Amino acid sequence: AVGPEHIPYIPSVVVVSAEVLKFMLNGSLEITFNPDVRSDKSVMLKSMLANMITLECLKLFVPALLYLIQNNLLFVALKNLSVPVYQVLNQGKLFTTAFFSRLLLNKQISYCQYFSLLMLAAGVVIVQQSTNKDQSSSMNEGNPWIGFLAVLVSCVTSGFSAVYFEKVLKQKSDTKEQLSVYIRNMQLAFWSIGLGAFPIFMTEDRNLVQQNGLFQGYTWIVMTIIIFQAITGLLVGFVMKYADSVLKGFATSVAVVLATILSIVFFNDRVNELFLVGATLVILAVRTYTKNPPVDVPSAGGAPGDSQPFYKKKKLVVGVGILAVFAITAMFFNDGFSFQTAIRV
């Protein structure tokens, strides 16, 4: 996206702007919904700012730093890998999240749930591939080993930071009173703002700011992105608090499918037959994960969990097999077609 007079925005400034807005949004909600401080908001404001200079706040420095590293590594990966390869490798964050959930939170995951993660990753990749208009133009001439290493480290930092943030949100704080999700989001945004401002003033972005200003290229589209990023950051905190990091991965994957459908309806984007396969795999993965918890954990319907290996579930194996055959067939007839007529009918 570009701004007025075709001046592009500065990505690092957009990231910091979203964090500033998230900080302000969470602060406003903390004041609004905290019943203990509605009568004296000035006291609450001082208390919130004091929470930014505590040992509890220091805990959030870790995920903030890892998110910064992760974002920079993704740029390195895209410079050295083709888009299809990057899309496949980047799904590794689903498995690193599950691994760290097991390691740090002792979360029990059944065989079928592990298999559902594989289906989910495959489904997201297929959905993303169905919208790639020109595969040849997505090739890069960089070093693929550097790109692979960048994605690998990015997946590790993504999984660890997500689970670490979840652990901080769910554990009891060292203070007398439990900190709310709003305060925790503010603490994470506090460190993200400080770390995110570093590249603005210490890299070549500084020259761009001096030439055209800090908010160059800002349009209503850019502002909308910033607003949605801030709201997303707010909601992620609640997902981590009341659900878990693995379910966040499922929610993100479902969002990819929904975003693709919306782009088909509103922007006339064209996808091929693989989209149906990918979307079906995502839906099947969500159902498999929710219906097959560990043996000691009740499923979504209240029934006991199941630790039976996925390959012993005949219906699941047959369904995935049919989808695999359809996907392979679609690859040989990979001519894009529009869903517009079908949807409107």
Side-chain angles (χ1 to χ4, degrees):
V2 295
E5 300 179 357
H6 304 290
I7 299 176
Y9 63 82
I10 305 175
S12 56
V13 176
V14 171
V15 171
V16 173
S17 298
E19 293 298 329
V20 171
L21 182 58
K22 185 175 76 172
F23 184 91
M24 298 171 61
L25 178 61
N26 280 276
S28 301
L29 292 174
E30 174 68 13
I31 294 176
T32 302
F33 294 108
N34 192 328
D36 298 330
V37 296
R38 288 177 182 173
S39 58
D40 195 346
K41 293 183 174 56
S42 61
V43 174
M44 182 56 187
L45 183 59
K46 293 179 181 179
S47 176
M48 287 192 303
L49 295 178
N51 280 319
M52 301 302 111
I53 52 175
T54 62
L55 291 177
E56 284 296 320
C57 182
L58 189 60
K59 293 179 180 179
L60 276 302
F61 175 79
V62 175
L65 178 61
L66 291 178
Y67 284 136
L68 178 65
I69 295 174
Q70 173 191 343
N71 290 333
N72 284 277
L73 286 174
L74 292 182
F75 283 109
V76 175
L78 287 171
K79 289 181 180 179
N80 291 277
L81 296 173
S82 64
V83 172
V85 173
Y86 165 77
Q87 290 172 339
V88 172
L89 295 178
N90 193 44
Q91 299 310 311
K93 61 188 178 183
L94 294 172
F95 301 96
T96 58
T97 301
F99 170 76
F100 284 114
S101 293
R102 185 73 178 88
L103 182 66
L104 300 180
L105 302 176
N106 198 29
K107 178 180 175 61
Q108 302 295 321
I109 301 177
S110 67
Y111 294 111
C112 282
Q113 286 180 325
Y114 279 118
F115 183 63
S116 69
L117 292 175
L118 181 61
M119 286 194 296
L120 185 69
V124 172
V125 170
I126 292 174
V127 168
Q128 292 174 328
Q129 289 300 297
S130 70
T131 61
N132 284 346
K133 300 177 178 60
D134 187 3
Q135 298 288 346
S136 61
S137 63
S138 63
M139 297 298 295
N140 290 316
E141 298 181 355
N143 189 327
W145 286 106
I146 294 178
F148 173 77
L149 183 61
V151 175
L152 178 63
V153 177
S154 174
C155 289
V156 173
T157 57
S158 175
F160 180 81
S161 58
V163 176
Y164 180 89
F165 186 40
E166 177 186 348
K167 185 175 182 178
V168 171
L169 283 172
K170 292 181 177 179
Q171 73 179 8
K172 293 183 178 180
S173 63
D174 297 334
T175 57
K176 295 181 180 180
E177 58 182 17
Q178 184 69 18
L179 297 178
S180 67
V181 177
Y182 301 121
I183 293 295
R184 288 300 192 185
N185 277 336
M186 290 178 66
Q187 291 174 337
L188 180 61
F190 172 78
W191 289 113
S192 299
I193 293 170
L195 293 172
F198 177 80
I200 297 178
F201 300 104
M202 302 302 292
T203 65
E204 59 183 13
D205 288 348
R206 179 180 179 180
N207 297 328
L208 297 176
V209 172
Q210 292 176 343
Q211 291 176 4
N212 299 299
L214 191 64
F215 301 106
Q216 58 183 279
Y218 270 45
T219 63
W220 69 270
I221 296 178
V222 178
M223 293 299 299
T224 302
I225 293 174
I226 292 174
I227 293 173
F228 274 100
Q229 282 288 95
I231 296 175
T232 300
L234 168 66
L235 296 177
V236 165
F238 283 94
V239 172
M240 297 291 201
K241 175 72 174 181
Y242 300 107
D244 57 57
S245 302
V246 177
L247 289 178
K248 182 181 77 73
F250 274 87
T252 303
S253 300
V254 172
V256 171
V257 177
L258 294 178
T260 304
I261 294 176
L262 291 176
S263 68
I264 294 170
V265 176
F266 294 105
F267 301 108
N268 296 320
D269 282 1
R270 294 170 61 86
V271 296
N272 54 47
E273 295 88 342
L274 292 176
F275 173 77
L276 294 176
V277 179
T280 305
L281 271 176
V282 171
I283 295 173
L284 183 60
V286 172
R287 186 183 186 281
T288 302
Y289 186 88
T290 56
K291 294 295 184 181
N292 297 277
V295 65
D296 296 330
V297 180
S299 65
D306 188 4
S307 60
Q308 187 179 24
F310 69 88
Y311 53 82
K312 291 187 178 181
K313 292 183 174 291
K314 296 181 180 179
K315 292 182 180 180
L316 179 61
V317 173
V318 171
V320 174
I322 293 174
L323 287 173
V325 172
F326 188 84
I328 294 173
T329 304
M331 290 179 184
F332 288 98
F333 302 95
N334 195 9
D335 295 326
F337 69 96
S338 175
F339 280 89
Q340 293 297 315
T341 303
I343 291 176
R344 290 171 182 171
V345 172

